[in-house]
Amino acid sequence: LMSQAVKIAVEEHNAKEKLKIQLILEDDEGKVEKATPAIEKLAGVDKVYGIIGPVFSSCALAIAPKCQTEKIVMITPSSTHKALTSVGNYIFRNVLSDELQAKVFAKYVFKKLKLKKIAILHLKNDYSQGLAEDFRTEFEKLGGKIVAFESGLQGDKDFKTQLTKIKNANPEALYMPNYVAEMAQIIEQSKQLGLNVKFLAGDGYSNPEIFDLIGANANGVIFANSAEQTEDSPIRNEFIEKYEKKWKVKPDSFSMNAYDSAKILIEAIEKVYNEATEQEKKSLTLNRDKIRDYVAATENYNGVSGNITFMKEKGDAIKNVGIFIAENKIYRQLEAYTIKNDELVEVK
């Protein structure tokens, strides 16, 4: 879904601008062992100026040091691990960080949902484990109790052993900050075991494949993600229409992040190209520091994913946190929040 959004951004630019952007696609399959040779090729052979991705935090953490060393601007639309943008000043993300997501969601679950006993079932990867641990820290700090903290591996099909332990701990809700394939198994197996709890999730639940995987069982799950724009957005509506027409499927929130990230990166490259000497243009040896600086200076960018400003101290986009519920094959935003002075503040 995300690469399809980037293709649209590149095609739009190339249709109207003199400087043509070449898009090179590499599939890491969500595996570090695939991501590492991919970045070596992109850096050493293709000599790319920027990367939109990777999708998963584990892969992003694996290639970020190479991007930093080679001065390749990396903007991930979906990698949320809190440590990622601390790697260096060439690393950006146009998505809510795990740290902020978990902190806001834990406060919401404790203060708004009034839940005090939570079980957590996470996967042993950077994304899932990071969210689980940050949620636990904040929830316990507020006075809540984590009655079970279980784990599994990405790709696991059977979670009944962990779910039986969770059922015996008698939680009010189960927090599962995982990917949709595993969450589908967890929800279905929970129901088979008679584990009647409220299901809570991280932003991974925003992938609409969950509805195809488990149908009506996907309904009622509450999760956190980057807040949606509340006002009507013509450019957002236009992108959704174009995406659906081209790819015959609706774009998810990460696809919108990817599209905006690509537009920001392309604009930065074009600005530096226009400022370059004739020799630099001919040899395509653009100033990488300047490309990075233009991306870092992004402020109040009106994108399809919302208004985008990168923090000055690190490459995180400033995002409000939305609280969503899955209902009848759609996601509905219930409320949106930010943190001020360590307090939960609703964003209207």
Side-chain angles (χ1 to χ4, degrees):
L1 293 176
M2 285 175 254
S3 62
Q4 292 171 343
V6 175
K7 283 180 183 176
I8 291 175
V10 171
E11 287 170 1
E12 287 176 346
H13 173 87
N14 289 346
K16 62 182 181 181
E17 301 296 340
K18 184 178 179 180
L19 175 65
K20 305 304 180 187
I21 299 295
Q22 181 183 1
L23 176 61
I24 301 167
L25 295 174
E26 293 289 337
D27 184 7
D28 61 24
E29 300 176 17
K31 300 172 183 175
V32 170
E33 60 269 26
K34 298 273 188 176
T36 304
I39 187 58
E40 291 294 337
K41 173 185 174 290
L42 291 169
V45 179
D46 301 313
K47 301 188 184 303
V48 299
Y49 286 102
I51 290 173
I52 305 302
V55 173
F56 296 114
S57 290
S58 54
C59 295
L61 287 165
I63 76 162
K66 182 71 173 180
C67 289
Q68 181 66 29
T69 301
E70 299 294 331
K71 295 188 174 184
I72 299 169
V73 171
M74 181 180 118
I75 312 177
T76 174
S78 57
S79 300
T80 54
H81 193 281
K82 63 182 179 182
L84 180 60
T85 52
S86 299
V87 170
N89 64 345
Y90 274 77
I91 312 303
F92 299 84
R93 73 166 129 235
N94 182 28
V95 67
L96 185 65
S97 74
D98 286 343
E99 187 174 24
L100 182 58
Q101 177 192 154
K103 188 170 186 176
V104 169
F105 197 50
K107 286 181 182 291
Y108 175 81
V109 169
F110 185 84
K111 296 187 174 185
K112 302 296 181 180
L113 296 182
K114 307 293 185 185
L115 299 174
K116 303 298 186 281
K117 293 167 60 182
I118 304 291
I120 296 176
L121 176 48
H122 68 88
L123 304 179
K124 290 180 179 177
N125 60 39
D126 293 312
Y127 164 74
S128 184
Q129 196 160 336
L131 269 177
E133 290 174 353
D134 285 343
F135 180 95
R136 175 172 65 177
T137 298
E138 183 66 24
F139 194 72
E140 289 180 337
K141 188 178 85 172
L142 293 166
K145 187 175 182 182
I146 302 300
V147 297
F149 194 79
E150 296 292 323
S151 65
L153 297 174
Q154 190 174 343
D156 280 355
K157 306 292 185 187
D158 187 353
F159 294 93
K160 288 182 179 177
T161 299
Q162 298 97 317
L163 291 170
T164 299
K165 292 179 183 177
I166 287 170
K167 183 181 179 182
N168 291 336
N170 196 30
E172 296 172 289
L174 172 58
Y175 178 51
M176 42 177 192
N178 305 323
Y179 301 126
V180 289
E182 289 79 18
M183 285 190 284
Q185 300 283 354
I186 290 168
I187 291 171
E188 288 202 321
Q189 289 167 24
S190 293
K191 293 182 182 296
Q192 290 167 10
L193 291 170
L195 177 57
N196 298 314
V197 293
K198 186 179 289 293
F199 291 101
L200 310 171
D203 58 340
Y205 205 80
S206 65
N207 185 339
E209 285 181 15
I210 193 71
F211 297 114
D212 295 327
L213 291 171
I214 57 173
N217 280 342
N219 291 334
V221 176
I222 295 175
F223 66 98
N225 198 0
S226 300
E228 287 184 349
Q229 295 170 284
T230 52
E231 70 278 5
D232 189 55
S233 169
I235 62 167
R236 180 190 179 96
N237 295 338
E238 182 184 341
F239 170 74
I240 293 172
E241 184 179 346
K242 182 178 290 188
Y243 190 101
E244 285 191 83
K245 184 177 181 181
K246 186 174 181 66
W247 303 113
K248 312 304 180 191
V249 65
K250 285 188 176 182
D252 61 8
S253 62
F254 297 138
S255 299
M256 295 187 199
N257 293 345
Y259 175 81
D260 287 337
S261 301
K263 298 281 276 190
I264 289 168
L265 178 59
I266 290 169
E267 283 185 18
I269 292 171
E270 186 173 39
K271 284 178 183 177
V272 175
Y273 179 83
N274 291 336
E275 294 170 0
T277 65
E278 289 306 315
Q279 180 57 39
E280 287 171 334
K281 289 178 181 178
K282 189 175 180 180
S283 61
L284 281 180
T285 52
L286 303 182
N287 188 312
R288 292 177 179 271
D289 290 329
K290 285 186 178 180
I291 294 173
R292 180 264 161 202
D293 290 345
Y294 275 124
V295 171
T298 300
E299 188 171 358
N300 295 322
Y301 180 89
N302 185 25
V304 300
S305 65
N307 189 280
I308 302 165
T309 297
F310 288 121
M311 293 180 181
K312 300 304 178 189
E313 62 273 19
K314 59 180 180 177
D316 285 335
I318 298 169
K319 298 276 186 177
N320 292 325
V321 183
I323 307 298
F324 295 82
I325 189 168
E327 291 178 334
N328 302 317
K329 295 193 174 183
I330 63 168
Y331 300 118
R332 181 167 63 88
Q333 182 169 292
L334 302 173
E335 294 158 293
Y337 292 92
T338 188
I339 298 285
K340 290 183 180 177
N341 300 319
D342 204 38
E343 291 297 324
L344 198 61
V345 177
E346 187 170 0
V347 178
K348 298 294 186 181

